[in-house]
Amino acid sequence: MKNDKLSNFFELSYKYKTFHQTYKIIAFLMAVGLVYPNPSLYKFRIICIGGAIISVLPITGIILYDMYRYLLDHDYVNIIRHCTVVGPFLGGFLKMMIMHVKQRPARMIINEIDEDYASFNNMPEPYQRIIDSSIRNNLVYSEKAWVITVFSCVMIFPFMAIALNFYNFVFKSEPTKYMAHEVRKPYGEPEDRFNSPYFEIIFIYMLYCSIFYFINFSGYDGFFGICINHACLKMQLYCKAFEDALACSNIDEMRKRIVSVIQDQNRLFRYVELIQETFNIWLGLILIATMIQICNCMYHITEGYELDFRYIIFIIGTVAHIYLPCRYSSKLQNMSVETSTLFYCSGWEHVTVPSIRKMVIFMIARAQIPLQITAFNILIFDMDLFVSIMQTSYSMYTLLRS
């Protein structure tokens, strides 16, 4: 019933729409990537996830078998080259499974955003300027910039292969064929992979996998950034509301508004708990995977047979993939602590009512406890963790080289 009212509300021409109407690209990629938390599609999503896994089993089997053959030849460079690509690709399916398990808190996050956006339409102009800035930030960085980054890192492999194939067939008498990701045919000679129609089938198959790769790493990760930015927006708004409350001349109205701010503060704490519950497993997995991935990319670039531009782009995307969660989590932590300063500087000293002063003291004390996002409910995600990940990745790289 509550969701029906929200849907009717947003059918009208209001400035602020629902989550999927505001962030159309992320919502679409989440839906296509089978991570959009829609309880009514529970069974359908299970079937689709199973079908997606089955659809990539052949290429996964070919790559794993090729890695086994390289292991027999002690060719560790090509083993690492395969791991660099197939590891994150398979990790994308873990996101589907995690989101399937965590769909309840994820759905509650989206419902919370929808309810907030509905209430934003009734807020005064100063508040809407803060809201507009936050939504614009989400649209530029958490949606468009992130999608472009992932697209560039993933699709550079098939697009570069297409460009090289086109150039060779047009300008060379004996053209050389290039695959999106070089993998030998399971049986036969290494050059057999370039024979038709095997080459064409594998190329199209890898293009399909690249699109899947792009979708898996765009919607889910972009959703995390939007969730954190919305938490920061909530804090900005109730700090502004607290400042306006203290400016009231009527004591009863002041007390009523401050109580409303306290309720908003409690809602924020519950909202952050939902973010933590939804993403803590994923954050732990990417923490481990990113360290290995950066190490593998650096090893392949420096120890490979030739300098590969694709892997340079890929390592930049990998660093961005761990930097953004750390950056967003650090932003949440800093903003939560800053609210205590904003409360303190809101003009409470002009209020002489003891009961209101006690409420202010309580709010400041509670705001001094930083809100933190953790991986596996243990490791705090912040910029210090990002630096530690970079250092650990480099240490692993030097160990691998030795």
Side-chain angles (χ1 to χ4, degrees), residues 113-399:
I113 293 175
D114 288 346
E115 291 175 19
D116 287 341
Y117 280 15
S119 65
F120 291 167
N121 290 287
N122 301 318
M123 288 187 172
E125 181 61 27
Y127 291 82
Q128 292 195 357
R129 284 198 294 267
I130 298 173
I131 296 164
D132 291 342
S133 177
S134 177
I135 293 177
R136 186 164 53 250
N137 180 280
N138 271 333
L139 290 172
V140 172
Y141 296 104
S142 298
E143 187 174 70
K144 295 177 182 177
W146 175 243
V147 168
I148 291 172
T149 300
V150 177
F151 185 85
S152 302
C153 295
V154 174
M155 302 309 291
I156 187 69
F157 286 84
F159 285 173
M160 183 172 281
I162 291 171
L164 289 172
N165 285 327
F166 177 80
Y167 174 82
N168 276 269
F169 276 91
V170 172
F171 298 103
K172 290 188 177 181
S173 57
E174 296 183 2
T176 302
K177 293 182 179 179
Y178 292 87
M179 303 178 100
H181 176 69
E182 292 293 333
V183 57
R184 295 177 297 182
K185 196 173 180 180
Y187 300 99
E189 297 298 323
E191 296 302 318
D192 289 348
R193 67 184 185 274
F194 297 119
N195 295 336
S196 297
Y198 179 82
F199 173 79
E200 288 77 10
I201 293 172
I202 289 296
F203 195 96
I204 294 172
Y205 191 9
M206 286 185 176
L207 182 60
Y208 158 76
C209 291
S210 298
I211 294 172
F212 222 111
Y213 207 130
F214 160 69
I215 292 172
N216 281 338
F217 279 84
S218 297
Y220 188 90
D221 302 74
F223 178 52
F224 176 76
I226 291 172
C227 292
I228 295 294
N229 281 336
H230 187 71
C232 294
L233 172 62
K234 281 172 166 286
M235 287 184 275
Q236 288 178 287
L237 291 177
Y238 69 59
C239 286
K240 173 66 176 171
F242 182 72
E243 183 181 350
D244 292 345
L246 292 179
C248 290
S249 56
N250 186 288
I251 298 300
D252 292 334
E253 179 66 18
M254 182 187 297
R255 181 179 287 105
K256 181 180 177 181
R257 289 193 179 189
I258 292 177
V259 169
S260 178
V261 171
I262 294 174
Q263 291 172 343
D264 289 340
Q265 191 181 30
N266 290 332
R267 282 186 62 196
L268 169 74
F269 298 150
R270 291 192 294 269
Y271 175 79
V272 174
E273 287 174 359
L274 289 174
I275 297 176
Q276 174 66 32
E277 183 180 353
T278 303
F279 293 102
N280 76 89
I281 296 177
W282 167 72
L283 290 173
L285 293 175
I286 66 167
L287 187 152
I288 299 169
T290 301
M291 288 190 293
I292 299 172
Q293 187 74 354
I294 294 173
C295 171
N296 286 346
C297 285
M298 288 193 299
Y299 184 84
H300 179 73
I301 291 171
T302 57
E303 302 297 321
Y305 302 118
E306 59 182 9
L307 186 64
D308 197 328
F309 176 73
R310 297 173 302 176
Y311 287 91
I312 296 176
I313 298 296
F314 200 71
I315 193 173
I316 293 173
T318 303
V319 173
H321 187 235
I322 193 63
Y323 169 78
L324 289 177
C326 291
R327 178 68 182 86
Y328 284 130
S329 300
S330 181
K331 178 182 178 181
L332 174 68
Q333 182 176 342
N334 294 336
M335 184 65 203
S336 66
V337 174
E338 187 182 352
T339 56
S340 63
T341 304
L342 294 175
F343 285 153
Y344 185 81
C345 299
S346 296
W348 63 269
E349 64 274 9
H350 301 296
V351 180
T352 58
V353 181
S355 60
I356 293 180
R357 285 199 167 194
K358 289 179 180 179
M359 285 193 289
V360 173
I361 293 173
F362 174 79
M363 293 173 66
I364 293 175
R366 181 60 186 86
Q368 287 176 333
I369 303 173
L371 295 173
Q372 297 172 333
I373 301 296
T374 60
F376 296 139
N377 296 320
I378 299 174
L379 296 171
I380 299 172
F381 255 68
D382 54 18
M383 293 310 296
D384 290 335
L385 180 64
F386 174 74
V387 174
S388 178
I389 291 171
M390 295 296 104
Q391 292 173 341
T392 305
S393 299
Y394 185 76
S395 299
M396 292 171 61
Y397 162 69
T398 55
L399 180 62

